[in-house]
């Protein structure tokens, strides 16, 4: 849970740390009332600014001539690269394929029966049905509780949690459909199908003046319907406070889990060591130095832990190979490896402490006692 929450916070932290504004709105137009459908197009009317935005389709979505009502969200490529929602079938979006007239899409479970491998079509508003429609191939199905980049509402807006919406469980009459802007504009007449709408992160470039900032905000206010807006400096402060509070919820559970792990490891270590004492006592009486006896005990731990570690990695790899970990909190990474090292150090400390205590007992006494 901690890793999942931190992943959401970290995904767009680099953007939230910049100077600029968070804006949620739509119907962004140029001064001569043309629809804005690309970040470069809007940046041309702003001074020293960068845009990271979402878009919606400006066209009819169909499946075999049957109209489809869906919440379509089209992302700039950096958004696709920054955050991957949970997928229960198929895969997440890749980089745009400029060689085809087909667009990749990920959809939520739906009442239309649209599934993996199905093809939809997008027709420009007012265009004839035979006029070069854009094909949409479904390459992934969102998990029933997946969170995706959009907007959600709360009392303490805006923080990192408000950058995500959640898929409603069960089949939806109006499912969410996620696509890539670069993928769409590389199709024939694809740029005519987009309208900038949704979350917009407006960030300032280095060297921008206060006057230019004011002009930029004035332009957005006059040429865009704004439902929510907030300075990124405030957003990042709220986000840091929110992630701290979220992680603190899990600290007691994590502490109990770690305590249980340490206690169980110490108990197992004591039992295994105690079983070896009588053999080590015999080795010592036969002339093996006590330090070498301790080394035998240490190597035993290393072998046991090595076999456990290798077995765990193999099991996880097999589960991932057959996509059995998609809905499971299981994995292997840096943090898991650090905890394995920590347990190994605890076991090593147990051996050292016991060896120092046992070393004071004559070996024949130790052998008799055991």
């Amino acid at each position: 849970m901690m890793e999942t929450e931190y992943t959401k916070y970290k995904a767009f932290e680099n953007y939230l740390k910049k100077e600029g504004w968070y804006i949620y709105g739509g119907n962004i137009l140029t001064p001569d009332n043309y629809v804005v459908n690309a970040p470069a197009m809007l940046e041309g009317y702003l001074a020293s600014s960068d845009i990271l935005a979402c878009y919606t389709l400006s066209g009819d979505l169909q499946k075999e001539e049957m109209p489809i009502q869906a919440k379509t969200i089209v992302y700039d490529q950096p958004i696709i690269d920054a955050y991957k929602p949970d997928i229960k079938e198929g895969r997440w979006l890749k980089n745009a394929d400029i060689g085809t007239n087909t667009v990749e899409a990920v959809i939520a479970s739906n009442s239309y029966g649209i599934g993996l491998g199905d093809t939809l079509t997008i027709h420009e508003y007012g265009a004839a049905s035979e006029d070069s429609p854009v094909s949409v191939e479904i390459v992934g199905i969102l998990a029933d509780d997946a969170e995706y980049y959009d907007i959600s509402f709360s009392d303490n807006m805006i923080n990192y949690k408000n950058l995500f919406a959640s898929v409603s469980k069960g089949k939806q009459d109006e499912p969410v459909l996620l696509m890539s802007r670069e993928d769409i504009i590389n199709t024939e007449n694809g740029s005519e199908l987009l309208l900038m709408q949704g979350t917009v992160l407006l960030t300032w470039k280095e060297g921008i003046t206060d006057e230019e900032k004011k002009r930029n905000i004035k332009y957005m206010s006059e040429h865009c319907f704004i439902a929510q807006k907030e300075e990124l400096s405030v957003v990042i402060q709220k986000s840091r406070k929110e992630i701290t509070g979220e992680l603190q919820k899990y600290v007691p559970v994590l502490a109990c889990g770690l305590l249980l792990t340490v206690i169980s490891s110490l108990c197992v270590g004591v039992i295994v060591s105690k079983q070896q004492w009588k053999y080590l006592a015999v080795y010592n009486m036969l002339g093996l130095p006590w330090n070498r006896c301790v080394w035998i005990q240490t190597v035993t731990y290393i072998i046991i832990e090595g076999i456990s570690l290798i077995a765990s990695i193999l099991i996880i790899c097999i589960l991932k190979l057959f996509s059995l970990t998609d809905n499971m909190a299981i994995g292997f990474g840096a943090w898991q490896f650090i905890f394995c090292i920590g347990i190994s150090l605890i076991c090593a400390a147990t051996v050292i402490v016991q060896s120092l205590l046992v070393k004071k007992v004559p070996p024949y006494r130790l052998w008799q006692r055991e």
Side-chain angles (χ1 to χ4, degrees):
M1 292 299 296
M2 293 176 71
E3 185 177 7
T4 300
E5 203 63 37
Y6 185 72
T7 299
K8 289 163 53 182
Y9 167 78
K10 195 66 178 175
F12 300 97
E13 183 189 26
N14 288 337
Y15 293 97
L16 300 183
K17 288 193 298 186
K18 297 179 180 180
E19 278 193 277
W21 283 81
Y22 165 93
I23 295 173
Y24 186 84
N27 299 324
I28 304 176
L29 303 174
T30 65
D32 43 2
N33 291 327
Y34 283 98
V35 170
V36 173
N37 56 18
M41 188 175 183
L42 181 57
E43 289 166 4
Y45 297 99
L46 302 175
S48 303
S49 301
D50 290 317
I51 301 292
L52 185 68
C54 295
Y55 310 79
T56 189
L57 284 180
S58 178
D60 295 314
L61 191 65
Q62 297 179 350
K63 179 187 179 184
E64 299 175 353
E65 299 185 356
M66 177 182 72
I68 301 296
Q69 298 296 322
K71 179 183 179 181
T72 57
I73 305 177
V74 183
Y75 295 139
D76 281 332
Q77 189 61 42
I79 297 175
I80 295 172
D81 296 336
Y83 183 77
K84 174 188 173 184
D86 291 334
I87 306 291
K88 69 176 180 181
E89 289 184 65
R91 59 171 174 81
W92 181 229
L93 302 173
K94 292 182 178 179
N95 290 331
D97 183 0
I98 63 175
T100 68
N101 203 46
T102 300
V103 175
E104 293 185 349
V106 171
I107 195 170
S109 299
N110 57 89
S111 58
Y112 294 107
I114 301 171
L116 193 64
D118 286 347
T119 301
L120 309 177
T121 55
I122 309 172
H123 295 269
E124 186 180 352
Y125 287 137
S129 58
E130 63 273 8
D131 289 350
S132 302
V134 174
S135 297
V136 178
E137 181 185 359
I138 304 301
V139 298
I141 308 295
L142 291 170
D144 292 338
D145 57 350
E147 293 184 287
Y148 57 92
Y149 185 75
D150 186 25
I151 188 173
S152 61
F153 299 95
S154 67
D155 293 334
N156 188 29
M157 294 187 73
I158 303 290
N159 61 70
Y160 79 95
K161 297 185 75 171
N162 302 120
L163 298 178
F164 299 91
S166 180
V167 174
S168 300
K169 292 187 177 181
K171 295 184 177 180
Q172 304 171 68
D173 294 331
E174 191 173 329
V176 63
L177 183 69
L178 310 178
M179 292 176 282
S180 163
R181 184 189 69 86
E182 282 79 357
D183 210 358
I184 293 177
I185 63 173
N186 281 307
T187 62
E188 186 178 355
N189 300 322
S191 59
E192 304 298 324
L193 298 173
L194 293 176
L195 168 66
M196 187 177 288
Q197 180 171 300
T199 300
V200 176
L201 298 183
L202 173 61
T203 56
W204 310 140
K205 292 182 179 179
E206 189 175 351
I208 187 173
T209 65
D210 291 339
E211 185 62 32
E212 288 174 329
K213 294 177 184 178
K214 292 177 182 178
R215 288 206 308 267
N216 290 342
I217 294 300
K218 181 180 179 182
Y219 180 90
M220 293 299 291
S221 300
E222 293 176 350
H223 296 85
C224 170
F225 168 74
I226 298 178
Q228 296 279 347
K229 72 172 184 177
E230 192 151 16
E231 283 193 81
L232 292 181
S233 58
V234 178
V235 175
I236 191 63
Q237 290 177 6
K238 290 182 179 180
S239 297
R240 286 169 177 165
K241 184 177 180 180
E242 188 72 23
I243 187 64
T244 301
E246 284 293 323
L247 297 183
Q248 286 176 349
K249 291 180 184 178
Y250 308 114
V251 168
V253 179
L254 179 62
C256 291
L258 288 176
L259 184 61
L260 179 62
T261 303
V262 171
I263 291 174
S264 61
S265 299
L266 288 174
C267 291
V268 171
V270 170
I271 292 171
V272 173
S273 298
K274 201 170 187 302
Q275 289 176 340
Q276 289 186 329
W277 283 350
K278 63 180 179 181
Y279 303 113
L280 298 182
V282 173
Y283 300 156
N284 188 234
M285 285 189 290
L286 292 175
L288 191 68
W290 186 250
N291 290 339
R292 297 294 298 277
C293 293
V294 173
W295 178 242
I296 291 174
Q297 194 175 16
T298 304
V299 169
T300 303
Y301 274 114
I302 294 173
I303 292 173
I304 293 173
E305 291 174 359
I307 292 173
S308 302
L309 184 63
I310 293 171
S312 299
I313 294 174
L314 287 176
I315 291 171
I316 293 172
C317 289
I318 292 172
L319 291 174
K320 286 185 175 293
L321 181 64
F322 293 98
S323 301
L324 299 177
T325 60
D326 292 343
N327 296 313
M328 297 170 61
I330 184 171
F332 188 81
W335 283 108
Q336 288 85 347
F337 187 74
I338 290 171
F339 278 112
C340 289
I341 297 296
I343 297 302
S344 300
L345 293 176
I346 291 172
C347 293
T350 304
V351 172
I352 293 172
V353 172
Q354 289 180 341
S355 300
L356 292 174
L357 295 175
V358 174
K359 190 174 183 181
K360 300 177 182 179
V361 182
Y364 66 90
R365 294 285 188 194
L366 181 61
W367 177 75
Q368 285 180 336
R369 192 176 70 190
E370 295 301 322

